[in-house]
Amino acid sequence: MTTAPVASTPPAAPTSPASSPGSPRLGLGPLGIAVRVVVAIGILMIANLVAGLLPAAILLIPGTTEIVEGSSPWVFALAFVLQAIVLCLVVLCVWLWMRWVERAPIRAAGWRWGRRSILWLLLGVVIAAGSAFAVVALLPATGPVLDDSQLPGGQEATPLMIVLLIAYYLGLAFLQQGIPEELLFRGMLLWSLRERPVLAVVVTTLAFTVIHLVSSGGQQSAAEHVLYLALPFGFALLAVGLLLCTGSLWAAVGVHGGFHVGNYLAVAFLHQVEPVASWLVIGGVQAALGLVLVVTALRRGKRILDGQS
């Protein structure tokens, strides 16, 4: 009696946490969620603290004070480097967290660039900047449009200064704030809760909102610090809504950066308005848009960061 040889299958090569998702080392219960929120906030704070302390260390080098004083181009170059440092530190920390705790590649958290990424980025910018600018344009005026002397660099508004200021504010909107904060909250944190999408939206939106209690946006009292939260709540909900609809983290980055761009443009070209009213109305409009997008995406079965763009 003869038997057919049994085909042997070579053992599968072990996979590393950087190449394929595995079971996270940290659970997804209340404690695990709380730890993830604290870690995301901690990474953001440390990155900005490091960037904030570096100028003081640099100024200890003899001769640097004269180089970076006033409106020298070196001041803007230094600012750009510090903005890039914040981004690099956040990306590094998220990569480490995803690799060793979530046991998944950083791409899973949305850190990827596809053919349509630029389109989603620009879409987010247009929606967020357009809605913020439109709201300010429609609110009652409390003062005239600021003249050039009242704007940053107004006394030295040479073509070079204008270019440097635009680069600085775009860097602030995207390099230092938009990209790193979205990677942390709408990337790493949102992805970790992807199996419970409603909870993921609630946790990431509220966590992102609460950290802005310490933001400086012209608040004059404790009550205004609370009312100011309407702004981050609104564009956070808009960001997660557009992310769900597009499957791209870059849509959320566009919303975040576009929110800042819209505010810069409103300050430069529109009449002055009551700050508290602008916070509440801009936040309310963007929150409403975001809620519609979130509900629509979830009803259509969209999943968190499952796109390739």
Side-chain angles (χ1 to χ4, degrees):
M1 177 178 177
T2 60
T3 58
V6 178
S8 60
T9 303
T15 58
S16 69
S19 60
S20 63
S23 300
R25 299 180 189 274
L26 183 64
L28 291 171
L31 178 60
I33 294 173
V35 169
R36 286 176 170 87
V37 170
V38 170
V39 167
I41 295 173
I43 290 172
L44 183 62
M45 292 179 63
I46 290 171
N48 280 279
L49 180 63
V50 170
L53 293 176
L54 276 178
I58 293 173
L59 290 177
L60 294 176
I61 302 173
T64 55
T65 303
E66 291 75 14
I67 295 176
V68 300
E69 67 182 359
S71 56
S72 163
W74 290 107
V75 175
F76 292 94
L78 175 60
F80 183 82
V81 169
L82 296 176
Q83 291 165 353
I85 286 174
V86 172
L87 174 59
C88 291
L89 287 175
V90 168
V91 171
L92 175 62
C93 290
V94 171
W95 177 77
L96 290 171
W97 180 266
M98 292 294 294
R99 178 181 176 88
W100 299 111
V101 179
E102 306 295 352
R103 299 207 288 189
I106 193 173
R107 282 176 53 85
W111 191 248
R112 54 181 180 253
W113 187 265
R115 289 176 298 175
R116 291 176 292 179
S117 296
I118 187 64
L119 296 178
W120 301 140
L121 176 71
L122 293 175
L123 178 64
V125 171
V126 170
I127 293 174
S131 58
F133 191 87
V135 165
V136 175
L138 294 173
L139 285 174
T142 59
V145 178
L146 299 177
D147 59 43
D148 291 345
S149 64
Q150 295 174 290
L151 295 172
Q155 300 293 341
E156 308 173 22
T158 63
L160 175 61
M161 178 61 64
I162 293 172
V163 171
L164 291 174
L165 282 170
I166 291 173
Y168 168 76
Y169 282 111
L170 287 177
L172 190 62
F174 290 94
L175 282 183
Q176 186 171 343
Q177 299 184 36
I179 301 176
E181 292 180 18
E182 293 307 312
L183 178 59
L184 283 168
F185 289 93
R186 255 70 65 184
M188 181 183 81
L189 186 57
L190 188 75
W191 178 85
S192 70
L193 302 173
R194 65 196 179 282
E195 298 303 328
R196 303 166 71 182
V198 174
L199 179 66
V201 170
V202 171
V203 169
T204 55
T205 301
L206 292 183
F208 180 81
T209 300
V210 168
I211 63 172
H212 287 83
L213 274 171
V214 297
S215 292
S216 177
Q219 305 94 319
Q220 301 296 322
S221 65
E224 288 191 2
H225 275 273
V226 175
L227 294 173
Y228 181 81
L229 296 181
L231 282 179
F233 177 80
F235 77 77
L237 202 53
L238 179 57
V240 74
L242 201 58
L243 179 149
L244 286 171
C245 289
T246 63
S248 175
L249 178 67
W250 296 102
V253 170
V255 168
H256 195 140
F259 163 79
H260 293 295
V261 169
N263 280 304
Y264 300 154
L265 294 175
V267 169
F269 297 107
L270 295 179
H271 53 258
Q272 300 172 60
V273 297
E274 172 59 37
V276 175
S278 68
W279 304 338
L280 296 176
V281 180
I282 293 173
V285 168
Q286 294 189 341
L289 291 173
L291 185 59
V292 170
L293 292 175
V294 169
V295 172
T296 301
L298 294 181
R299 283 184 173 177
R300 293 180 177 177
K302 295 281 190 177
R303 295 179 59 83
I304 292 172
L305 289 172
D306 64 349
Q308 297 300 317
S309 55

